[in-house]
Amino acid sequence: MNHLKALMNNQIWFSRGKFFNDPFDCTTDVPITFVDSEGMNRFIEHKTKARSFVDDGLLTENDLIQIQNEYLNDLEKQVKEGRYKDHDLGWLVDAVFAQLERSFVHCLSSTPKNNLMWSHYANSHTGFCIRYKKDILLDNREIYKYGNVNYDGKPLSLIEQLIEPEKINAGIEVIFKKSKEWIYEQEFRLVHKDMAKNQTDNFRILEHSDNAIDCIIFGMKADKDNINLLKTMLNGRDIIFKQIKRSTKGFEIFVDPERI
């Protein structure tokens, strides 16, 4: 009923990560590292004089590699021993987690043609999905940031924040990272501009215009009475209605071009 109410009232809900089904998603359990070898190389190149020392013959490339490896090994030991606060970037970990825990996120998908999505989020193909007009939905001052989820499986490297602080907000960037297992979702996320005020402040509601919704797509097993009921409820609005069908050549599904 909440989905129908939100649909009728032109609303989308943002929630905090503690309500997501992935325990590593938008919580303090998300994998974070202070620095990886790639980030270390970038930091040396952009924020130190080490490269000029090599160019002047005061250091060799092997010296740089040895210094880097020793630093990364010491850092790994520090993290394993739970002494991350002793590191120069320890303050940034706390800042990232604080921002992450207080952020409100809305999750969408870039595709209506994935069987797992219909099974997991639409009651085994009996529900529906809403297709939005992206440019209209995103034209809202309440949305702080949006973008595709990154499924590279790599922990967020905090040192990137120090290399390009004007471009990277680690507390926000980590919201767009998930493990490779979730790549089938092809997720697109919106981050609300508000931050949670306390532990019981868990949701935000964003209202959009009538014309932000383009189409309602029903699952393969959607009940005809429910389809007709929703069409009646949305009568008079410029929304088209379609349904998922199975390919005759395999397990693939597609959106039937015919309106229902």
Side-chain angles (χ1 to χ4, degrees), residues 14 25 70 136 194 214 230:
F14 291 70
D25 191 3
E70 289 178 357
I136 297 177
D194 286 355
D214 167 52
L230 190 56

Side-chain angles (χ1 to χ4, degrees), residues 51-112:
R51 178 53 55 190
S52 64
F53 289 164
V54 172
D55 294 339
D56 294 340
L58 300 176
L59 287 174
T60 66
E61 290 289 348
N62 287 336
D63 290 333
L64 279 184
I65 293 173
Q66 183 177 350
I67 293 171
Q68 174 181 306
N69 289 339
E70 289 178 357
Y71 180 84
L72 291 175
N73 289 336
D74 289 342
L75 178 58
E76 183 178 5
K77 181 180 179 182
Q78 202 172 37
V79 172
K80 285 183 177 179
E81 294 175 353
R83 296 184 293 110
Y84 78 87
K85 290 182 181 291
D86 296 336
H87 189 270
D88 293 339
L89 293 178
W91 64 271
L92 188 52
V93 175
D94 290 335
V96 168
F97 284 158
Q99 185 171 13
L100 187 61
E101 286 189 301
R102 296 173 58 206
S103 293
F104 297 105
V105 182
H106 181 74
C107 306
L108 301 161
S109 176
S110 300
T111 178

Side-chain angles (χ1 to χ4, degrees), residues 70-186:
E70 289 178 357
Y71 180 84
L72 291 175
N73 289 336
D74 289 342
L75 178 58
E76 183 178 5
K77 181 180 179 182
Q78 202 172 37
V79 172
K80 285 183 177 179
E81 294 175 353
R83 296 184 293 110
Y84 78 87
K85 290 182 181 291
D86 296 336
H87 189 270
D88 293 339
L89 293 178
W91 64 271
L92 188 52
V93 175
D94 290 335
V96 168
F97 284 158
Q99 185 171 13
L100 187 61
E101 286 189 301
R102 296 173 58 206
S103 293
F104 297 105
V105 182
H106 181 74
C107 306
L108 301 161
S109 176
S110 300
T111 178
K113 299 184 292 185
N114 187 289
N115 256 322
L116 288 177
M117 293 293 285
W118 282 99
S119 297
H120 295 166
Y121 301 110
N123 199 17
S124 301
H125 269 280
T126 61
F128 61 88
C129 87
I130 304 168
R131 189 171 72 191
Y132 294 97
K133 297 176 183 177
K134 186 176 179 180
D135 56 337
I136 297 177
L137 182 65
L138 298 181
D139 186 20
N140 193 305
R141 294 181 180 179
E142 300 297 303
I143 298 175
Y144 171 68
K145 186 164 184 170
Y146 55 84
N148 295 309
V149 168
N150 179 351
Y151 300 100
D152 63 9
K154 298 178 181 178
L156 180 71
S157 178
L158 294 181
I159 202 169
E160 298 288 345
Q161 171 85 65
L162 301 184
I163 298 173
E164 297 182 292
E166 70 284 355
K167 294 182 179 180
I168 296 177
N169 181 332
I172 293 296
E173 293 299 320
V174 73
I175 290 175
F176 295 89
K177 270 187 169 288
K178 294 189 72 172
S179 63
K180 296 178 180 179
E181 291 88 346
W182 297 92
I183 195 170
Y184 72 91
E185 291 189 343
Q186 297 183 43

